[in-house]
Amino acid sequence: MTYIAGMKSFHGADGSTTTHGFDRHFGARLDALRAHGNYREFVQLSRIRGAWPRAHWHGAHGVREVTVWCSNDYLGMGQHPDVVGAMANETTRQSAGSGGTRNISGTNYLHADLEAELARLHRKPAALLFTSGYVANLGALTTLATALPNTVVLSDERNHASMIAGLQAARVEKQIFRHNDPNHLEALLRRLPADRPKIIAFESVYSMDGTIGAVADIAALARSYGALTYLDEVHAVGLYGRQGAGIADAEGCGDTIDIVQGTLAKAFGVIGGYVAASAATVDYIRSFSREFIFTSSLPPPVVAAALAAIRAVKATDDRRAQLRERVARVKAGLDRVGIKYVNSDSHIIPVLVPGASRVKAVARTLLEDHCIYVQPINAPTVPVGAERLRLTPCPLHDDAMIECLLAALTDALGRLGA
């Protein structure tokens, strides 16, 4: 029997194949996760049509109805009649799938329609669809960072894992600036040669803390130092700005952002990602991004649903206004019952419960005793010691649901002595 790093190989002494050594290694790593309280367990849910944010929890003791308080379907568009209807109609009219990559057999006229709609939303000349926001960041950043020799990327220290993955894949120099700190960013920019290609990669809403980025200040710095701006707006599109274009639009600096990256899977309630930028930039990504070229395209029913969602969100501010009111009401309620939370100007409300086992215990109590689903957030999504419950009110959480949440949190945290 041969060994690889203390682990049995696939080939035994008799030439047979075995995975036992690998399985033991994997099992040991998983046991370590469990020991530290970081092993992820998934709660099986099914949404109740027409009753969101209510869902059915399929647990060990049968099916129970729960209220979901941690979804990224921020406006409840996943069940909007126009969105559901568009998806159903297109499935009947065309097919369930796209047929392959857009370069070979998967290009559909709806892809072009959706890209044009996204370009209009962000007031950019062009847009390009990806299968998810993660893939959009991975593909676009890898492609852009390697487009010019000696490029350096300046990245906010709390950027999403997908942005980090894109920069790692590009294998270019990366300099990290302190979270949301334009002064530190400028200090780094000042040390770089004026003619060196520079990309500043940052977010508009940071999903774990709810922080809103210093978008206008960073955009101004980029112009001063000749840097390209790459702004991840995934937790802002649909929610802020004129017709839901995002934070850059809300702050009046959308025209100074070079590349906007967004998602269709959060406020728009479907699935998919995209970038919007100049025609040349979008065409370059389309032509060179392996993540775009070699991935099957979004199915026509999904694209039709996304188009319906964007148009519905653009047509009225009602749901965004309702969301703002619900967020304010939850925060006021938390203040009233004395539960501390990370306050920000965004729609995300983190309740810190340090300790992986502690936050999991609170989440378990909420689910099992109060029929409230909030997924615990632990490492590596957040640093060790910064574990939390991430509350995301939506326009459809009514007053009774909010009061139930407050009572349940008071009970669950009280059991921990928190």
Side-chain angles (χ1 to χ4, degrees):
M1 177 71 73
T2 57
Y3 290 82
I4 299 176
M7 178 168 63
K8 291 183 180 180
S9 77
F10 281 110
H11 298 281
D14 60 356
S16 64
T17 60
T18 175
T19 59
H20 293 167
F22 292 100
D23 284 348
R24 281 196 293 272
H25 176 74
F26 299 149
R29 295 290 300 273
L30 291 169
D31 288 342
L33 272 182
R34 293 185 182 94
H36 289 92
N38 289 328
Y39 182 75
R40 294 169 187 252
E41 299 175 4
F42 297 133
V43 175
Q44 296 184 23
L45 301 174
S46 59
R47 294 185 174 197
I48 303 172
R49 183 174 178 179
W52 184 249
R54 304 292 286 171
H56 284 132
W57 167 36
H58 300 258
H61 304 292
V63 178
R64 296 171 64 185
E65 192 171 305
V66 299
T67 304
V68 178
W69 274 97
C70 57
S71 173
N72 285 342
D73 187 356
Y74 295 131
L75 296 176
M77 295 303 295
Q79 291 199 358
H80 190 286
D82 291 353
V83 176
V84 174
M87 180 175 283
N89 290 341
E90 209 58 48
T91 302
T92 302
R93 199 172 71 85
Q94 291 202 49
S95 64
S98 66
T101 69
R102 286 176 65 178
N103 296 280
I104 298 175
S105 60
T107 296
N108 189 285
Y109 79 96
L110 286 171
H111 293 129
D113 285 354
L114 180 52
E115 286 169 345
E117 190 70 55
L118 289 165
R120 285 192 293 271
L121 176 67
H122 293 288
R123 303 191 179 198
K124 300 294 183 189
L128 184 69
L129 285 172
F130 286 84
T131 51
S132 73
Y134 190 105
V135 175
N137 268 336
L138 179 63
L141 280 170
T142 303
T143 304
L144 292 169
T146 55
L148 295 171
N150 200 32
T151 295
V152 58
V153 179
L154 299 105
S155 177
D156 188 288
E157 66 178 341
R158 294 189 187 173
N159 276 344
H160 189 265
S162 58
M163 301 177 79
I164 295 169
L167 299 178
Q168 288 175 335
R171 297 182 180 179
V172 298
E173 182 183 345
K174 179 175 64 174
Q175 296 190 16
I176 308 300
F177 62 92
R178 288 189 293 270
H179 176 54
N180 225 9
D181 188 341
N183 292 328
H184 186 219
L185 172 60
E186 184 170 21
L188 296 176
L189 286 166
R190 196 180 296 121
R191 299 190 195 113
L192 295 170
D195 60 350
R196 186 174 181 186
K198 297 174 279 289
I199 299 173
I200 302 173
F202 62 115
E203 300 183 38
S204 62
V205 176
Y206 291 81
S207 63
M208 288 300 113
D209 294 319
T211 312
I212 292 182
V215 177
D217 290 342
I218 292 175
L221 278 177
R223 288 292 174 267
S224 297
Y225 288 88
L228 196 72
T229 46
Y230 184 98
L231 177 63
D232 179 318
E233 289 257 35
V234 297
H235 291 276
V237 290
L239 304 177
Y240 303 92
R242 293 167 293 185
Q243 301 181 317
I247 294 294
D249 183 75
E251 295 189 358
C253 61
D255 292 342
T256 66
I257 298 296
D258 297 299
I259 301 112
V260 174
Q261 183 268 336
T263 185
L264 306 168
K266 294 180 171 59
F268 296 129
V270 194
I271 187 68
Y274 64 89
V275 292
S278 70
T281 299
V282 167
D283 199 16
Y284 186 87
I285 296 169
R286 182 191 68 85
S287 299
F288 289 96
S289 169
R290 296 173 65 86
E291 290 76 10
F292 174 81
I293 294 169
F294 296 105
T295 302
S296 292
S297 59
L298 289 172
V302 171
V303 178
L307 271 166
I310 294 167
R311 288 166 179 168
V313 168
K314 287 173 66 176
T316 175
D317 189 50
D318 288 352
R319 289 206 176 201
R320 290 191 291 277
Q322 291 166 5
L323 174 64
R324 292 190 291 270
E325 188 276 330
R326 295 288 85 185
V327 168
R329 190 174 185 92
V330 171
K331 288 181 176 180
L334 292 170
D335 289 336
R336 171 165 45 87
V337 299
I339 294 175
K340 295 181 180 179
Y341 59 94
V342 179
N343 199 2
S344 74
D345 292 328
S346 81
H347 57 286
I348 296 166
I349 308 175
V351 175
L352 297 181
V353 187
S357 59
R358 297 175 81 249
V359 73
K360 288 180 73 172
V362 171
R364 190 179 306 114
T365 298
L366 292 174
L367 182 63
E368 295 178 354
D369 294 353
H370 299 280
C371 291
I372 287 175
Y373 173 64
V374 184
Q375 182 70 5
I377 306 294
N378 53 31
T381 306
V382 294
V384 173
E387 293 82 5
R388 65 198 60 192
L389 300 172
R390 177 179 173 275
L391 304 179
T392 54
C394 83
L396 303 175
H397 282 110
D398 61 29
D399 291 352
M401 291 176 182
I402 293 174
E403 291 306 314
C404 286
L405 172 69
L406 297 172
L409 282 171
T410 300
D411 174 57
L413 292 170
R415 296 189 196 187
L416 282 182

